[in-house]
Amino acid sequence: MKEDERTRGDGVHESQERVKSEVRDDLIRNSQPILSNKSQMLGMPQFGLRDNLIKCELLKNEDAYTYIKNYSFFLGTYNVNGKNPKESLSPWLASTTTPPDFYLVAFQELDLSKEAFLFNDTPKEPEWMLAVYKGLHPDAKYAFVKLVRLVGIMLLFYVKAEHAAHISEVEVESVGTGVMGRMGNKGAVAIRFQFHNSDICVVNSHLAAHTEEFERRNQDFKDICRRMQFSPDDLTLPPLTIMKHNVVLWLGDLNYRISDLEVDHVKDLIAKKDFESLYNHDQLKRQMDEEVVFVGFTEGEIDFQPTYKYDTGSDQWDTSEKCRVPAWCDRILWRGKNIKQLHYQSHMTLKTSDHKPVSSLLEIGIKVVNEESYKRTFEEIVRHIDRLENDCIPSVSLSQREFHFQDVKFMQHQAKTVTVYNDGQVPCQFEFIPKLDEPSYCKPWLAANPAKGFLAQGASVDIDLEVFVNRSTAPELNSGQQQLEDILVLHLDRGKDYFISVTGNYLPSCFGSSLSTLCLLREPIQGIPVLGSSKIFNLTVSPFCSPSNPETDKPQEIPKEIWMMVDHLFRNAKKQEELFQQPGLRSEFEEIRDCLDTGSLDTLPGSNHSVSEALLLFLDALPEPVIPFSFYLQCLECCSDSSQCRQIISMLPQCHKNVFNYLTAFLRELLKYSAHNRLDVNILAQASFNGKQNSKKQMNDWSLNTQVS
C-alpha cells in the first residue's frame, strides 16, 4: 500500500519501465488473493474428505450455509481510438458518490499501430493503466488484481484492499474473431474469479464494425461464447464457459448501430432527447428482442445520447466525409440473479477519443459463507457419504450406444447427444478414457463435451458427441486412408466401463487434398463415382505416375478450385477494401465449399470477403504446402537472396510451381489497385502469415513471396 501511495503521488513524469514496475508488478504483489473460506475448509484434513463426492453435495445444499450480501461494481468501457491518455479519467471513474467495491475497466482500440497488431505489444498499456489508477475514487484504497489484453482490447480489475482476501480462482482468457477467427483486431478478453461463494465472469469485447454487419456481430458474440473456456484449478472438472458463472458482466464496443433512419433525423431526435424513439431503431435492442444474441442478459434504460461518433477533441458529431450516423456502440449488460443497476451513463466531458466513455454501477448480491453453518452441513454430508460408500457401487444408464453421422463435411460441425443417467445409489465420477496403446480417448475429428464430470444420485447429464473435420484430419479422410469410425470408453470411478460406437460417412473435399491430386481430377472431388475414395487414395499415394490416357488424364496446370476462387476475386474484388482482412460469413463459406466440391454452380456464391477467406483456408489445409516441406532448409539458407529464391521456385514440382506463380501474379495484380483496395505488401504478407499454422512454413512462404514479388 505504501507503493500504491507513492505511485499515486509522483507517477506523472516517470519512465515507462518505472510505471510498469510500480503500477503493475508491485500492486499485483501487494494484492495476492488468499484462499476463500470455502477453499480453506475443504482443505481441512481432519474431516478425511473425498473431494469429488463432497463438492457435489455441497453445491446441492449451498443455500443451507450461505447468505446474500450486496457489493457495488463499477463497470466502465471506453474506445480510445489509439490515442494516448491526455486528460484525467476521474470524471468517469470517480463519478460515484461513494467508492465502489470493484472496478472493471475496459478499453478498445488501445493501440491502432501495425506493431501492436503484429506483435501484440504496446507502450500504451502502462500509460492507460497509470491513468486508470490515478482516476480511481480517492476515498478508498484499491489493490490491482489482474490485467488481460488482446492487441487493443484491454480489461483491468481493481478491488478494495479489504476484499482482496476473499478473491480466488482468478483466470484470464482471450478470443480473436478477425480473419479466420484468429486475428486479434476484433474479439474479446475475459477475467473470471470467485468472490466469497459466487463465480463471476467479466467480458470485454470489440465486435465487427459497419452498420450493415449486424449479422457478423451476432456471429462474433456466439463465437466468443463458444470458444472462451477457462481451465479450473480442479483438473477433474470440465472447462468453464462464460455462461456457467453465477454472474456474467459483458461490456465493450459492441458496434451495434442505429438502422433505418437518416443521419439528420437521428440528430434531430437526439436534440429533442427523444431517446425512446431512437432506441427502437437500435440494432442490439432488435437482436435481443428476437432472442438472436445476449439471451438472458439485461441492459438498463438508456437515457443518454449516443456515444459514437464525435470529432476528436470535441462534442461535435462526425464532420468527416463519411458523416457517420450517431450510435450507442458502447454498452454494458449483465446476466444473473440479485443484480440491481444504480446508474448507467455516458461521460461527455472526456474528449480524447471519437467515442465517449460509458459507466454502470451495479449492486450485486454475493453468496457469502456462514462458517458455522458450513461446518455443520459439511459434517452431515461426510457422515451420509460414509454410509453410502460402504454399501453402493456407481452405476449409470445410457440413452444410446451407437451413433452414425451422415454426410460429414469439411469444417462443418455435427453433434449428437447421449444422455447419461445416474441410476445408482451414490454420486459418481465419469470420464472417457483412452483405449489400450492410444494417446487420447478419441480420434482427433471427434470430441465429447463434457469428457468428464460428476453426477449426483438420480441426476443426468447430456454429453455432446461432436464431429468436426479440420485441416489436420481432412487429408487422410479425403484419401480414404482413415474412416469416421471410433469407439469411446466411458469409465466410472470405482465402477465399470461403457462402450459407445461412433461411425459416419465423410464427403471428400478439395479442402485438405493435395495440389497434385487435385490437378489430376478432371471432375469435382465429390463427382467421382462409387469407389471414388480408392481412386483418390491411388492418386494421393502415387500422384506422379504415368497417365493411362495421355490426352484425357493429362494433369491440369493448377487445381480448378484455386482457379475458380482467384478468378472470382480477380473479376470482382480488385478494388474491394479490407480484402484478406475482414472475415466472411460461415454460412457463405459452406456454400463456397459445396460449390467447389460438387461443381453445382458455375460461379461462386457469397461475398468477396467470404471467397478470400475460403482461399486462405484452402491454402492452410494443404497437406503439403505450396512450398513443400522438403525445401525448407534451402529456403532458410537462401531467403535473403532473390536470385536463389527464384532458383528454388524453378525446382518445385510442376503443380506447386504453377500455383506459386499463379498466386503471386494475382497478388501483384491486386497491388496495382492499392489506391482503391488500400492493400500493401505488409498487409498481404500478414494475411498469408495468419493463414498458416507451422512456424517454419509461415516464415518460408512469407520470405519467398516477398523476395519474388
Side-chain angles (χ1 to χ4, degrees):
M1 292 307 169
K2 291 181 179 178
E3 282 293 316
D4 295 354
E5 294 173 2
R6 186 164 62 84
T7 302
R8 187 184 287 269
D10 62 4
V12 177
H13 303 294
E14 296 176 357
S15 67
Q16 280 184 9
E17 291 304 315
R18 191 172 180 185
V19 169
K20 286 183 179 179
S21 172
E22 294 185 356
V23 180
R24 184 171 182 174
D25 298 337
D26 286 354
L27 283 174
I28 291 173
R29 191 158 55 246
N30 286 340
S31 63
Q32 287 293 328
I34 66 173
L35 292 174
S36 67
N37 292 335
K38 175 184 174 183
S39 299
Q40 286 178 330
M41 296 188 72
L42 280 173
M44 293 172 68
Q46 59 264 40
F47 293 114
L49 299 184
R50 280 67 47 106
D51 280 349
N52 297 341
L53 303 177
I54 293 173
K55 287 179 182 178
C56 182
E57 291 298 313
L58 283 172
L59 290 175
K60 288 173 59 179
N61 294 277
E62 191 174 41
D63 291 343
Y65 57 86
T66 61
Y67 62 95
I68 300 299
K69 183 177 180 180
N70 291 327
Y71 293 86
S72 58
F73 285 67
F74 181 97
L75 307 178
T77 178
Y78 194 6
N79 182 321
V80 297
N81 194 29
K83 300 296 190 294
N84 294 321
K86 302 175 182 177
E87 52 191 344
S88 171
L89 302 183
S90 294
W92 170 37
L93 300 177
S95 58
T96 59
T97 305
T98 57
D101 296 301
F102 289 79
Y103 272 101
L104 283 309
V105 185
F107 293 97
Q108 306 83 40
E109 295 190 359
L110 195 76
D111 193 333
L112 299 177
S113 67
K114 289 184 178 179
E115 290 77 14
F117 182 67
L118 296 177
F119 305 112
N120 195 27
D121 190 22
T122 172
K124 295 184 179 181
E125 176 185 305
E127 295 178 13
W128 279 102
M129 190 175 179
L130 178 60
V132 168
Y133 182 66
K134 290 183 175 181
L136 300 180
H137 205 291
D139 295 339
K141 284 293 183 182
Y142 290 95
F144 174 79
V145 180
K146 204 69 176 176
L147 174 151
V148 58
R149 183 175 60 81
L150 175 67
V151 187
I153 309 170
M154 183 169 75
L155 180 61
L156 296 170
F157 178 15
Y158 287 89
V159 64
K160 275 186 177 179
E162 61 263 32
H163 300 322
H166 301 287
I167 293 177
S168 62
E169 300 179 20
V170 181
E171 296 178 65
V172 299
E173 282 295 340
S174 62
V175 168
T177 59
V179 172
M180 299 179 69
R182 299 172 188 164
M183 300 172 78
N185 55 322
K186 292 292 188 291
V189 297
I191 300 175
R192 63 90 50 199
F193 59 97
Q194 180 168 301
F195 181 53
H196 286 288
N197 238 48
S198 290
D199 294 318
I200 301 172
C201 182
V202 186
V203 183
N204 170 24
S205 67
H206 191 188
L207 307 185
H210 306 305
T211 302
E212 68 279 2
E213 293 290 342
F214 68 91
E215 289 185 349
R216 179 65 203 180
R217 288 187 275 280
N218 295 347
Q219 182 174 305
D220 285 350
F221 168 79
K222 294 172 184 176
D223 285 346
I224 291 166
C225 292
R226 178 176 58 86
R227 294 168 51 200
M228 188 81 75
Q229 294 189 339
F230 302 91
S231 299
D233 292 337
D234 186 347
L235 299 179
T236 63
L237 298 176
L240 274 174
T241 58
I242 293 173
M243 302 305 173
K244 292 293 186 181
H245 293 77
N246 302 131
V247 174
V248 180
L249 309 174
W250 197 303
L251 65 166
D253 183 356
L254 306 188
N255 251 324
Y256 286 94
R257 308 301 176 91
I258 304 294
S259 295
D260 306 326
L261 292 178
E262 295 295 330
V263 61
D264 291 336
H265 189 188
V266 171
K267 292 178 180 178
D268 183 56
L269 291 174
I270 296 172
K272 297 176 181 177
K273 296 189 180 300
D274 188 0
F275 299 132
E276 182 178 356
S277 298
L278 191 62
Y279 186 54
N280 289 328
H281 294 270
D282 176 70
Q283 289 179 341
L284 179 56
K285 178 186 183 301
R286 291 179 173 180
Q287 297 302 299
M288 290 179 68
D289 288 346
E290 295 174 12
E291 296 189 345
V292 178
V293 292
F294 290 100
V295 177
F297 280 82
T298 302
E299 182 180 22
E301 179 184 354
I302 296 180
D303 58 1
F304 52 88
Q305 71 182 44
T307 55
Y308 174 85
K309 173 180 183 174
Y310 298 85
D311 289 340
T312 302
S314 75
D315 293 329
Q316 186 174 3
W317 297 114
D318 180 23
T319 59
S320 69
E321 181 181 349
K322 294 185 178 180
C323 192
R324 290 183 173 87
V325 178
W328 287 295
C329 290
D330 312 284
R331 311 291 275 268
I332 300 173
L333 303 93
W334 70 87
R335 184 177 189 267
K337 297 179 181 179
N338 302 312
I339 301 176
K340 177 183 177 182
Q341 183 169 258
L342 304 180
H343 81 231
Y344 189 22
Q345 65 190 60
S346 64
H347 300 268
M348 300 296 295
T349 57
L350 273 69
K351 299 179 173 62
T352 298
S353 172
D354 56 354
H355 289 247
K356 298 296 182 182
V358 172
S359 70
S360 172
L361 185 65
L362 298 178
E363 184 179 80
I364 301 179
I366 298 296
K367 291 182 286 187
V368 179
V369 173
N370 180 302
E371 294 189 22
E372 289 301 319
S373 299
Y374 180 87
K375 184 177 292 187
R376 286 195 301 270
T377 304
F378 184 86
E379 292 173 341
E380 290 173 4
I381 291 172
V382 169
R383 286 193 295 269
H384 177 64
I385 290 178
D386 281 343
R387 292 192 298 269
L388 292 178
E389 280 188 333
N390 292 331
D391 302 325
C392 302
I393 297 176
S395 173
V396 300
S397 58
L398 307 182
S399 61
Q400 190 177 343
R401 299 204 186 192
E402 295 183 358
F403 294 86
H404 181 76
F405 291 84
Q406 186 71 26
D407 294 342
V408 177
K409 298 179 181 180
F410 176 78
M411 285 189 69
Q412 185 178 61
H413 177 267
Q414 286 197 32
K416 294 182 182 292
T417 301
V418 55
T419 300
V420 180
Y421 172 72
N422 184 350
D423 56 7
Q425 299 301 310
V426 290
C428 67
Q429 176 184 353
F430 67 87
E431 180 179 8
F432 287 97
I433 61 172
K435 296 177 284 294
L436 187 64
D437 298 328
E438 293 192 5
S440 177
Y441 72 86
C442 67
K443 298 288 179 62
W445 44 263
L446 177 63
N449 187 24
K452 54 186 175 181
F454 301 96
L455 276 176
Q457 178 185 353
S460 63
V461 62
D462 289 338
I463 299 177
D464 292 329
L465 304 180
E466 301 175 336
V467 170
F468 187 77
V469 177
N470 58 18
R471 61 185 294 275
S472 62
T473 53
E476 290 189 338
L477 289 169
N478 281 331
S479 64
Q481 294 172 273
Q482 290 287 339
Q483 304 294 326
L484 293 180
E485 295 177 354
D486 200 3
I487 294 178
L488 299 179
V489 182
L490 181 64
H491 173 72
L492 298 187
D493 185 27
R494 299 180 298 108
K496 66 178 184 178
D497 294 338
Y498 299 79
F499 299 93
I500 300 174
S501 172
V502 178
T503 59
N505 69 296
Y506 178 68
L507 299 180
S509 175
C510 62
F511 290 84
S513 296
S514 68
L515 294 176
S516 55
T517 298
L518 293 174
C519 284
L520 289 169
L521 293 179
R522 290 282 174 181
E523 56 213 313
I525 195 167
Q526 289 181 19
I528 298 174
V530 182
L531 301 180
S533 61
S534 61
K535 177 178 178 180
I536 299 173
F537 175 75
N538 292 333
L539 292 174
T540 303
V541 173
S542 184
F544 302 111
C545 61
S546 300
S548 57
N549 187 331
E551 294 301 322
T552 60
D553 294 345
K554 181 181 178 182
Q556 304 170 88
E557 291 189 0
I558 63 170
K560 55 189 174 301
E561 293 82 4
I562 290 183
W563 177 84
M564 287 186 70
M565 289 185 282
V566 172
D567 181 66
H568 177 98
L569 296 173
F570 180 78
R571 287 186 287 103
N572 301 300
K574 292 194 292 289
K575 297 182 180 181
Q576 176 73 57
E577 289 190 22
E578 296 186 342
L579 195 65
F580 295 114
Q581 300 171 80
Q582 180 174 323
L585 292 174
R586 183 173 298 129
S587 59
E588 291 183 350
F589 165 74
E590 292 176 355
E591 293 176 3
I592 294 168
R593 175 204 61 208
D594 292 346
C595 178
L596 295 174
D597 288 342
T598 64
S600 56
L601 297 173
D602 294 330
T603 58
L604 294 179
S607 67
N608 293 331
H609 296 300
S610 295
V611 175
S612 66
E613 185 162 16
L615 177 59
L616 291 178
L617 287 169
F618 179 93
L619 297 173
D620 185 49
L622 288 173
E624 184 84 13
V626 177
I627 305 296
F629 296 113
S630 58
F631 286 81
Y632 279 6
L633 182 58
Q634 293 170 273
C635 291
L636 286 169
E637 294 173 348
C638 305
C639 62
S640 60
D641 189 318
S642 60
S643 62
Q644 292 184 10
C645 286
R646 294 177 186 275
Q647 184 177 358
I648 291 175
I649 294 168
S650 69
M651 298 163 56
L652 300 180
Q654 190 62 46
C655 61
H656 288 252
K657 179 168 62 177
N658 292 344
V659 169
F660 182 90
N661 290 330
Y662 184 63
L663 292 175
T664 52
F666 168 60
L667 296 179
R668 286 196 296 270
E669 189 67 25
L670 286 180
L671 291 175
K672 294 179 182 178
Y673 296 88
S674 58
H676 300 280
N677 57 36
R678 300 183 182 178
L679 291 173
D680 57 36
V681 291
N682 292 323
I683 292 175
L684 289 177
Q686 178 63 17
S688 173
F689 186 88
N690 279 276
K692 307 298 180 185
Q693 291 293 312
N694 184 284
S695 59
K696 290 185 178 179
K697 178 180 174 185
Q698 293 171 348
M699 178 171 61
N700 287 289
D701 282 4
W702 181 84
S703 298
L704 282 170
N705 272 284
T706 304
Q707 290 292 337
V708 173
S709 60

